Every structure is written in structure tokens, then in C-alpha cells.
Amino acid sequence: MPSGYICNDNCNPAAIKDILLQRYALGERDFTNNFSCVELRLSDLRGADLSGVNLSNTNLSNSILKYIDLSYANLSNANLTNANLEGAILDSANLEGAIFSTTIMPDGSVRNN
């Protein structure tokens, strides 16, 4: 199973997405330590299957997360400010402490808290 940090000197969201999805396909699910030097803000992860992934404390602000599968994912304390989760699957996802501010939820409503 892959390990180590997902780093990109330019913080290129497309490159980070590719690495994230590649590692997920190889079976990695806990990314909490891998994002210490990058943020996923501004990422376009639409349609990705990230069920069961651990993205706690990750900055996902301004990300496009449309139709993403985050069932059973750990998003505790994640920053979802201005994120678009339209059509996303959040079944049994841990959203405890997540930051919602003008976040578009799966049903199209806007959540602020």
C-alpha cells in the first residue's frame, strides 16, 4: 500500500486529485497524514468514489465535490466552506465539527454553520 505525503510544490489541484485517486484505487483510505503540506481547496473531485476515506481536518473549501461518493467517509473538522456537494452521497459520513459556510449540500440546499 502506498504511503508518504501527497505533496506538490505548486499545490496543483489536478495533480493532487490524480495522486489521491491513484492511491485510493490501490487501497489507501486514510489520508489524514498525507495532506499536511497541501490543501484540497479548489479541487475538482466530481464523481470520485472516496467511500470510507479519512479526510478529517482537510481543507476542501471551494472544491467541486458534485456526485462524489463519500459514504462512510470521515470528514470530521473538514473545511467545506463554499464547497459544492450537489448530488454527493454522504450516507453514514462523519461530519462532526465540519465547517459549512455557503456550502451546497447534496439536495441543492445551502448550509451555513
Side-chain angles (χ1 to χ4, degrees):
M1 192 147 352
S3 63
Y5 294 109
I6 296 175
C7 292
N8 184 296
D9 292 336
N10 300 319
C11 288
N12 179 337
I16 294 167
K17 174 189 174 184
D18 291 343
I19 293 168
L20 171 71
L21 295 178
Q22 178 183 34
R23 288 188 172 185
Y24 183 88
L26 292 172
E28 190 168 354
R29 295 295 182 271
D30 187 347
F31 294 96
T32 51
N33 295 322
N34 294 328
F35 291 116
S36 63
C37 61
V38 298
E39 297 179 340
L40 286 175
R41 63 185 173 87
L42 303 173
S43 292
D44 183 345
L45 296 170
R46 84 182 83 202
D49 179 356
L50 295 178
S51 54
V53 75
N54 187 347
L55 291 172
S56 60
N57 300 301
T58 302
N59 185 355
L60 291 161
S61 62
N62 300 300
S63 294
I64 301 171
L65 306 172
K66 289 175 138 187
Y67 307 105
I68 190 171
D69 185 352
L70 289 167
S71 55
Y72 299 95
N74 182 357
L75 295 165
S76 60
N77 301 306
N79 183 351
L80 295 166
T81 300
N82 295 319
N84 186 340
L85 290 158
E86 184 180 348
I89 301 168
L90 297 174
D91 298 341
S92 299
N94 179 356
L95 299 171
E96 185 177 339
I99 300 167
F100 297 95
S101 179
T102 60
T103 304
I104 300 173
M105 299 305 289
D107 64 0
S109 64
V110 177
R111 182 171 173 181
N112 292 293
N113 69 328

